[in-house]
Amino acid sequence: MGVTVAVHSSKGGTGKTCIATNIAALLSYKGYNVCLLDMDLKGPSLSALFNLYPKRWFNDYLDDKCDIENIFIDLSPQLKTKGRFIIGSSNPDIVAVRKIFDVNRNWQAKALKLLLDAKKSIFMNGTDILILDTGAGIEFESVNAIAVADLVLSVIIPNKISYFSTEQIVKGVYMMLEKKCYLIENMSSVYNLSENKEILGIPVIVSIPCICDILSNDCTNPVSLTNPNHIFTQSIKKICSTIEEYMYDK
Amino acid sequence: MRNDQIEAMSEKQILQEILEVLVCIDKKIDYMVSKNTTIPETRRMYRNEMLSSGLDVMTLLSLPEHLRTTVKVLFEKGSATAEDISKITRKERAVESGYLNQLVRMGYVNKYRRGRKVYFSITDDK
């Protein structure tokens, strides 16, 4: 079985989606079959980011309206990656987003089981790495993603609020679910690619500096593919190496 | 109250804090009994929903560690015997059997027989 990676953060706006898409793109460029799944049902991003309008959304799968295979769009031909790069999007329509706020605990319990089934099916169909782009904080959808992940990458930004809320989630969720986790410091004042560093007792893979051209990039073509020498791409490579090391140790 | 605030308190202060909370609860119960208060319909519905639901991830987080470990393995396996789970958790089969039966009583796990073996699975609310 392949490896499932959840990209999470305690607060919104830390760059989860940007990091998750670039990790997924670079790993598929290296030849891995990668599946990127938008688990932020209350604030979906991937369909807008890649201009995707699938016939079926991840929401349809969770509502038992289709199989998980029906939601994916293959971006490998467009991005010219060696490995397969498929994306499952959540529905960004406001009616669909509002509906998620109305679901009860029974629905969430069922969603967790369906997510486990989806994971099995995705790996049976040849995926090596499943990347879950989660919503921020402690929501049912994001904690479901963490529960099914093998590895959690928690994105923090260097300020007191982010550190404090991350500490709460490390203790109250990651450790409780016995997850292997790493931190990615984004929008940092320093660029730290090689020095071993720990925050809150968790290893930091990389400190990515605040880079304005990343924010303005439309991401339809991820920077990690279009600009291999960029500082951001170097940071993404370091994160990918950590995932690969985890895969081989597993 | 946050964990770091509690850690900074002496044992006496913690006991005083607990006592104040208990006194407050006691007063509220006395008030409800004297007024013959019934649980509002919406709250009762929510409670019934909680009891009838399958096991969601927030409930999983609130379980004690030993039960949480058992449930996590059961989630991964789909359905399993106590022996299957004990091989992964490296606990005695009888211990896992006890945990699983406790989870059955809590309504989170189903128990069924297939041939001579007893299987357990997470309660499905479909």
Side-chain angles (χ1 to χ4, degrees), chain A residues 6-218:
Chain A
V7 182
H8 184 241
S9 69
S10 62
K11 292 279 177 186
T14 55
K16 286 182 299 298
T17 302
C18 183
I19 289 170
T21 52
N22 277 281
I23 293 170
L26 196 60
L27 286 168
S28 59
Y29 182 77
K30 290 177 89 172
Y32 294 101
N33 291 327
V34 179
C35 173
L36 176 62
L37 191 55
D38 192 348
M39 288 285 301
D40 191 357
L41 289 128
K42 287 177 180 163
S45 316
L46 294 183
S47 62
L49 203 59
F50 288 99
N51 299 323
L52 303 175
Y53 299 95
K55 285 182 186 163
R56 292 290 188 184
W57 304 94
F58 183 49
N59 310 54
D60 295 321
Y61 170 70
L62 294 178
D63 283 333
D64 258 346
K65 290 178 183 166
C66 68
D67 291 330
I68 191 70
E69 289 77 21
N70 301 132
I71 73 163
F72 295 121
I73 290 182
D74 191 348
L75 288 190
S76 334
Q78 180 188 321
L79 298 177
K80 297 183 177 62
T81 55
K82 285 180 211 157
R84 199 179 60 209
F85 181 16
I86 55 173
I87 291 191
S89 309
S90 289
N91 192 345
D93 186 275
I94 189 65
V95 176
V97 174
R98 266 197 345 235
K99 196 180 160 197
I100 297 299
F101 282 92
D102 288 339
V103 298
N104 59 21
R105 293 178 87 108
N106 289 3
W107 190 94
Q108 295 290 2
K110 196 175 136 197
L112 178 58
K113 292 187 85 175
L114 284 167
L115 189 57
L116 281 162
D117 292 344
K119 184 177 139 176
K120 283 176 191 158
S121 175
I122 288 165
F123 288 129
M124 274 175 65
N125 285 327
T127 293
D128 303 308
I129 302 165
L130 168 62
I131 296 177
L132 305 172
D133 179 26
T134 74
I138 304 179
E139 294 277 359
F140 268 104
E141 300 77 32
S142 50
V143 183
N144 275 350
I146 292 161
V148 305
D150 302 301
L151 187 64
V152 179
L153 303 178
S154 187
V155 185
I156 57 167
I157 50 175
N159 67 45
K160 192 180 169 187
I161 296 169
S162 183
Y163 283 21
F164 179 80
S165 51
T166 302
E167 187 180 17
Q168 296 298 310
I169 288 181
V170 167
K171 286 181 184 167
V173 181
Y174 304 161
M175 286 170 81
M176 297 271 267
L177 294 172
E178 294 164 32
K179 295 296 165 185
K180 175 84 177 165
C181 61
Y182 289 98
L183 295 181
I184 298 166
E185 193 179 40
N186 198 18
M187 304 175 200
S188 172
S189 55
V190 293
Y191 177 49
N192 179 352
L193 195 64
S194 55
E195 191 187 329
N196 289 329
K197 182 180 169 185
E198 281 192 355
I199 296 176
L200 311 168
I202 312 276
V204 181
I205 300 175
V206 66
S207 293
I208 307 172
C210 207
I211 311 165
C212 292
D213 60 325
I214 296 295
L215 296 172
S216 58
N217 188 287
D218 70 358

Side-chain angles (χ1 to χ4, degrees), chain A residues 64 104-106 108-110 112-113 116 119-120 138-140 143-144 147 164 172-173 176-178, chain B residues 2 46 49-50 52-61 68-69 72 75-76 122-126:
Chain A
D64 258 346
N104 59 21
R105 293 178 87 108
N106 289 3
Q108 295 290 2
K110 196 175 136 197
L112 178 58
K113 292 187 85 175
L116 281 162
K119 184 177 139 176
K120 283 176 191 158
I138 304 179
E139 294 277 359
F140 268 104
V143 183
N144 275 350
F164 179 80
V173 181
M176 297 271 267
L177 294 172
E178 294 164 32
Chain B
R2 294 199 319 262
Y46 176 72
E49 183 189 287
M50 290 271 289
S52 67
S53 70
L55 185 58
D56 64 76
V57 76
M58 299 301 179
T59 309
L60 172 67
L61 283 173
R68 200 165 59 236
T69 307
K72 273 169 52 197
F75 258 123
E76 289 290 335
I122 302 291
T123 302
D124 202 336
D125 199 56
K126 278 180 191 173

Side-chain angles (χ1 to χ4, degrees), chain B residues 81-94:
Chain B
T81 63
E83 192 175 357
D84 295 335
I85 292 181
S86 69
K87 282 176 187 165
I88 296 169
T89 60
R90 293 177 185 174
K91 290 174 188 161
E92 289 291 324
R93 190 205 63 81

